[in-house]
Amino acid sequence: MGDLGEWVRVDPDGARPLFDQLRTQIIAGVRDGRLPPGTRLPTVRDLAHQLNMAVNTVARAYRELEAAGLLETRGRFGTFVARIDPADAAMATAAHTFAAAAKALGICKDDALRYVETALG
């Protein structure tokens, strides 16, 4: 069971909505390894109780993460961290497309990386 209640912290007085605070913290947990692929998350009700949040707030965060491909619900078995981070696939595809365009235009690696750095700000 994911131990979200131990490290997730939401601020009811924060500028961002609670569901978004929870959503971004779960994403961070997936990306930094605290929630490895296949981790079973607490039920919506259990997590809402642990974090003293409304059930609908937790449900919305879970729904949005499922729609983004980060979580998957397996019926009565529960909600799990997806086996594959969709960001990995999306970024790899974008990187290959960019690299192919740079090569086709004869742009060297250093110049191509400058384009990426500029685009990222």
Side-chain angles (χ1 to χ4, degrees), residues 35-113:
L35 294 171
T39 300
R40 183 170 183 238
L41 299 184
T43 67
V44 167
R45 288 190 189 287
D46 285 346
L47 187 57
H49 177 73
Q50 287 175 35
L51 299 176
N52 197 27
M53 295 173 75
V55 170
N56 288 342
T57 302
V58 175
R60 181 172 178 188
Y62 275 23
R63 269 194 318 273
E64 290 199 6
L65 290 166
E66 189 172 9
L70 242 63
L71 300 182
E72 53 192 33
T73 299
R74 301 180 194 153
R76 67 176 195 259
F77 298 108
T79 301
F80 296 82
V81 175
R83 296 274 175 206
I84 297 169
D85 184 344
D88 287 341
M91 291 306 296
T93 298
H96 287 292
T97 301
F98 176 80
K103 288 176 186 173
L105 295 169
I107 296 174
C108 72
K109 180 180 176 181
D110 289 341
D111 288 343
L113 291 175

Side-chain angles (χ1 to χ4, degrees), residues 2 7 12 14 24 32 46 61 88 100 116:
W7 54 267
T24 57
D32 70 16
D46 285 346
D88 287 341
V116 172

